[in-house]
């Protein structure tokens, strides 16, 4: 059986999700969105925590980059952290897109 490397497909999907999220935010009047209820959740890798943590997304702002643009609050504490798409799990950007209201 021949081994296939799917990393390229994974990276392409993630790039497309980030591009779409940035396009949506860029077209908003204030170029950001804040949730006050019905938060989307992500699994984040924070340098201040061991392993991955569940966190609610409090806000997103244009541009979303590898290391910035997504404001989260882990369930374990009441601190805010700004992360980028490199700090969250694959597929979490899609969940954020699903929770953005149409403008």
């Amino acid at each position: 059986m021949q081994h296939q490397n799917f990393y390229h497909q994974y990276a392409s999907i993630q790039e497309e999700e980030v591009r779409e999220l940035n396009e949506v935010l860029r077209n908003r009047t204030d170029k950001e969105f804040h949730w006050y209820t019905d938060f989307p959740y992500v699994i984040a890798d924070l340098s201040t925590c061991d392993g991955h943590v569940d966190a609610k997304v409090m806000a997103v702002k244009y541009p979303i980059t590898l290391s910035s643009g997504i404001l989260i609050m882990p369930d374990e504490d009441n601190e805010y952290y700004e992360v980028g798409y490199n700090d969250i799990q694959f597929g979490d950007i899609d969940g954020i897109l699903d929770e953005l209201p149409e403008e």
Side-chain angles (χ1 to χ4, degrees):
M1 178 177 201
Q2 185 178 23
H3 173 73
Q4 291 185 6
N5 185 348
F6 292 102
Y7 179 76
H8 178 68
Q9 290 175 324
Y10 159 83
S12 294
I13 291 168
Q14 187 176 44
E15 287 171 10
E16 183 60 34
E17 289 175 341
V18 171
R19 190 176 308 113
E20 183 178 345
L21 180 55
N22 275 324
E23 183 68 20
V24 168
L25 292 172
R26 188 177 64 80
N27 290 327
R28 294 186 68 84
T29 305
D30 56 1
K31 301 203 181 330
E32 60 185 49
F33 183 79
H34 296 259
W35 281 272
Y36 301 101
T37 61
D38 301 323
F39 306 96
Y41 274 78
V42 296
I43 299 173
D45 183 17
L46 299 175
S47 60
T48 59
C49 301
D50 288 335
H52 295 89
V53 296
D54 290 331
K56 56 185 157 192
V57 177
M58 306 303 290
V60 287
K61 66 178 181 176
Y62 177 81
I64 304 296
T65 68
L66 275 169
S67 59
S68 68
I70 305 168
L71 186 67
I72 63 170
M73 179 187 289
D75 288 339
E76 291 87 39
D77 61 31
N78 290 323
E79 296 291 323
Y80 292 100
Y81 300 91
E82 185 172 8
V83 298
Y85 68 88
N86 199 43
D87 303 309
I88 61 176
Q89 295 290 302
F90 176 73
D92 283 345
I93 293 290
D94 188 50
I96 294 170
L97 279 164
D98 288 344
E99 295 300 324
L100 278 174
E102 297 290 327
E103 187 171 74

